[in-house]
Amino acid sequence: MATADLPHGDSAGTFLGHPKGLFVLFFAEMWERFSYYGMRALLIFYLTKHWLFSDSQAGVIYGAYTALVYITPVLGGYLADRYLGQRKAVTYGAVLLTFGHFLMGFEGNGGQDAASLSIFWLALAFIIVGSGFLKANISVIVGQLYPRTDVRRDGAYTIFYMGINLGAFLGSLLCGYLGETYGWAYGFGAAGVGMLLGLIVFVGFKPLLLGRGEPPKALAKGTEWGLYAVGVAAVGACWWMVQNQAVVGYLLGGFGLLLVAYVLFTAVVKLEPHDRDRIFAAMFLILGSILFWALFEQAGSSLNLYTDRHVDRTIFGFEVPASVFQSVNAAYIVLLAPVFAAAWTWLGKKGLEPSAPAKFGLALMQLGAGFLVLVAGAANGVATPVLFIFLIYLLHTTGELCLSPVGLSAMNRLAPAHMASLIMGTWFFASATGNFAAGLIAAATGSEKASGEGAGQQVVLDVYSQIGWIAVAVGIGVLVISPLIRKLMHLDTLRDDNVGDDLEGQAGVGVEPQQAGIHPATRPAG
C-alpha cells in the first residue's frame, strides 16, 4: 500500500523521524503553556499582594481556579468527540485564552475593589474555558498522527511534553520577572502575547496536521456557532464558580462520581473484555495521579510563598524574584526528558524497563522525597538555603517524568478510538481533583502569624513532612501491585484500529523493545 493511502500516512513528510504536524502541535502548545505558566507564576502573589487576600483564601482560590482549568477539558473533549472535532475545539480555545490573558492585564486599583475584582474573575473564567477546549484535544491530535502500536508514539509524547515545558520555562522566567519587577500588567501582558503566537502557529500551519482532528461528521454552521455559544455560557458559569470556591469542591465530588460511573458502565456493558480491562487499568492510573498532583501543585501556591518568605534567594549577589523559581521545574524537564526517553529505551532493550504502573509508584516516591529533602534543608537555619529549592524541584521533576508523559501516552493507547477524548478528559479531571486538593493543602499551610505577615515557616514544614511520608508510603504500595495492573492492560493483544494495514513505523512492532514500559502487540499477518 502506498504511503499516501495509509490512514496514518505522512504525505507532508517527516522531521526527525516524526510527522511535521507534531512540531506544529509542539509550538502551538509551547506558546499556550508560556501564557498559562507565566500567569501561574504570578497568580498567588497577585492574590496576596495586589488583591490582599489572606494566604488561606488565596490558596483556596488558586486551587479552585486550577481545578476548573482541569475540569473543563471534559466538556471540551466531549464536544470535540461528538461534534466539533479536535482542531476546531483547539482553535476556539486558543481564541478564548488569548482574550482572557490580555484581560488579566487590567489591574484596577487593587485591594478589594468590587468592580476591578469582577473583571479579574472574568479573565480567569475565559482562561479556564479556553483551556478546556484546548488542553485535552491538542494532546489527542498528537496521538492521531500515529497508529496505536507505532513505536514512535511515546517518543512523540516526550517531544510534545518538552514543548509544554519549554513554554512553561520561558513563561515563568519572563512573565514572572516582568510582573514582579515592572508591574503586574507587564507580566500578564507578556502571557497574552505568547498565547496569541500559539494561535497564529496553530491556524497558520493547519495543512501539516494531515486532516487530523476534523469533525466526525458534517457540521452545520448553526450547530457550530451554537457550540461556541455553549463555551460563552461556560465562561459565565466559571466566572461565578471561581468566586464561590466551595461549589467547585461539590462539583468535583458529584461530577467525579458520575464520570467514573459512566466510564466504568461503558467499559462493562459496551466493550469487549480486553478493552474493558484496559479501561480499568487506565482508571487506576487516573486515580493514582490525583495524589501526585495534589502534592506536586504546591509549587505554584504554598511552595511559591515559602520561597518568597523563607528562602535566601540571593544568587551571585542578586536577589532573584520568587516567581522566577517557577521556571526551575520546566528547565529540568527540558534537560532531563531526552535522558529519560533514552533510559527507557535502553532499559527496554535489556528487558528491565519498569511498566507504566511501576513508574507511577516511583513518581510518588520521588515526589514525597522532595518534600522531605526540603524539610531537612530547613532544619538548620531561619532562611532556607536556595540549594534545597533546586533539590525539591529536581526530585519533583524526575517524579513528573515518570508519571505525566507516561500517563498521557497510556491514556491514548489504552482507550478505544471512540473514547479517546473522554478518557483524556478524565485524566485531566483527575488533575482537577488533585489541584483542588492542592489548594486545601496550601490553605492548611496558611495559618496566619499573630503579626499577620503570612504563613509561619514551621507550619509549612510540618505539613510538608506529613505529606512527604504519605507520598512515599503510597508509592511503595503502587509499586507492589503494579504487576497486577500491567496484566489488565493486555498489551500483548493491543491492535491498531486498522488492523490489516501495513502502517509506517510498524515494521519493528513485536521485534524491537518498546518505550515507556508498554509492549506492543505482535504484528498482524498480511
Side-chain angles (χ1 to χ4, degrees):
M1 179 180 287
T3 302
D5 297 327
L6 294 176
H8 292 270
D10 203 5
S11 58
T14 62
F15 180 70
L16 298 178
H18 289 274
K20 291 179 180 177
L22 173 65
F23 298 94
V24 174
L25 301 173
F26 172 100
F27 282 108
E29 179 72 347
M30 182 190 77
W31 285 115
E32 188 273 328
R33 294 289 87 184
F34 174 95
S35 65
Y36 177 80
Y37 280 97
M39 191 273 274
R40 174 182 178 268
L42 291 169
L43 183 56
I44 197 72
F45 298 130
Y46 197 45
L47 289 167
T48 55
K49 296 181 180 182
H50 183 69
W51 297 117
L52 304 182
F53 288 104
S54 69
D55 287 1
S56 294
Q57 288 174 316
V60 174
I61 293 167
Y62 179 92
Y65 160 70
T66 53
L68 287 168
V69 165
Y70 286 92
I71 291 174
T72 49
V74 178
L75 172 66
Y78 176 80
L79 293 179
D81 272 351
R82 292 292 302 272
Y83 307 107
L84 279 175
Q86 286 76 25
R87 185 189 60 79
K88 286 179 181 290
V90 169
T91 304
Y92 181 53
V95 171
L96 295 178
L97 279 164
T98 301
F99 188 75
H101 280 296
F102 280 122
L103 203 57
M104 283 290 293
F106 179 81
E107 297 180 28
N109 298 318
Q112 295 290 306
D113 175 57
S116 299
L117 263 175
S118 186
I119 294 175
F120 168 67
W121 301 128
L122 185 62
L124 292 184
F126 272 104
I127 294 170
I128 288 164
V129 178
S131 294
F133 276 93
L134 186 146
K135 197 168 180 58
N137 291 307
I138 198 168
S139 299
V140 170
I141 299 174
V142 173
Q144 290 175 344
L145 293 171
Y146 300 86
R148 289 176 77 187
T149 57
D150 194 321
V151 297
R152 301 173 297 170
R153 287 174 62 96
D154 289 337
Y157 274 108
T158 299
I159 291 171
F160 181 70
Y161 206 63
M162 285 181 67
I164 290 173
N165 286 280
L166 181 59
F169 169 73
L170 295 173
S172 301
L173 199 64
L174 181 61
C175 299
Y177 178 77
L178 289 175
E180 287 204 75
T181 305
Y182 295 102
W184 307 113
Y186 289 93
F188 293 130
V193 171
M195 190 60 247
L196 181 60
L197 289 172
L199 174 61
I200 291 170
V201 168
F202 187 78
V203 172
F205 291 90
K206 170 191 168 184
L208 293 180
L209 298 178
L210 305 173
R212 303 293 183 259
E214 293 303 318
K217 56 186 177 182
L219 188 64
K221 279 294 179 185
T223 302
E224 182 176 350
W225 285 100
L227 294 171
Y228 296 149
V230 169
V232 174
V235 169
C238 289
W239 174 83
W240 180 77
M241 284 189 289
V242 79
Q243 299 176 67
N244 297 274
Q245 300 87 34
V247 174
V248 179
Y250 293 123
L251 176 67
L252 281 167
F255 189 71
L257 289 174
L258 289 174
L259 180 62
V260 170
Y262 175 75
V263 171
L264 293 180
F265 174 80
T266 301
V268 170
V269 174
K270 297 185 178 181
L271 300 181
E272 57 90 15
H274 281 193
D275 275 343
R276 177 200 63 206
D277 289 350
R278 291 187 189 108
I279 294 297
F280 289 162
M283 292 302 292
F284 175 85
L285 298 179
I286 286 169
L287 293 174
S289 72
I290 294 174
L291 175 62
F292 183 90
W293 296 121
L295 305 188
F296 181 88
E297 285 297 331
Q298 295 307 302
S301 52
S302 69
L303 185 56
N304 213 2
L305 290 173
Y306 184 90
T307 304
D308 185 50
R309 296 166 179 168
H310 306 300
V311 173
D312 179 3
R313 293 178 278 109
T314 303
I315 300 177
F316 301 122
F318 175 72
E319 187 175 57
V320 179
S323 60
V324 169
F325 287 93
Q326 292 292 291
S327 67
V328 173
N329 164 250
Y332 281 145
I333 291 271
V334 173
L335 293 172
L336 294 177
V339 176
F340 270 70
W344 298 144
T345 301
W346 182 80
L347 288 170
K349 290 178 180 178
K350 302 286 186 181
L352 299 173
E353 184 184 7
S355 66
K359 289 175 183 175
F360 273 52
L362 293 171
L364 286 166
M365 293 168 66
Q366 292 168 87
L367 181 72
F371 285 110
L372 298 178
V373 164
L374 178 62
V375 171
N380 296 322
V382 175
T384 304
V386 72
L387 170 66
F388 291 94
I389 295 299
F390 285 99
L391 287 176
I392 186 175
Y393 280 122
L394 177 62
L395 286 164
H396 284 192
T397 300
T398 55
E400 184 183 5
L401 283 168
C402 288
L403 182 138
S404 195
V406 173
L408 280 173
S409 181
M411 294 307 107
N412 202 277
R413 187 188 298 260
L414 294 174
H418 66 280
M419 294 179 68
S421 286
L422 175 64
I423 295 301
M424 194 68 78
T426 307
W427 167 260
F428 288 122
F429 185 86
S431 298
T433 307
N435 274 269
F436 188 77
L440 299 180
I441 294 170
T445 69
S447 301
E448 307 299 313
K449 289 182 179 178
S451 63
E453 292 178 358
Q457 183 178 13
Q458 194 57 48
V459 173
V460 180
L461 294 175
D462 288 345
V463 172
Y464 282 2
S465 179
Q466 183 177 4
I467 63 179
W469 285 115
I470 289 172
V472 170
V474 174
I476 292 172
V478 172
L479 203 59
V480 168
I481 65 172
S482 61
L484 298 177
I485 306 304
R486 187 183 180 282
K487 287 183 180 179
L488 288 176
M489 296 168 79
H490 295 293
L491 300 169
D492 55 328
T493 61
L494 194 64
R495 294 287 189 274
D496 291 324
D497 295 326
N498 297 281
V499 176
D501 291 318
D502 187 7
L503 300 171
E504 181 178 347
Q506 195 177 354
V509 174
V511 180
E512 295 295 326
Q514 185 72 5
Q515 296 177 3
I518 297 180
H519 299 272
T522 303
R523 185 182 178 188

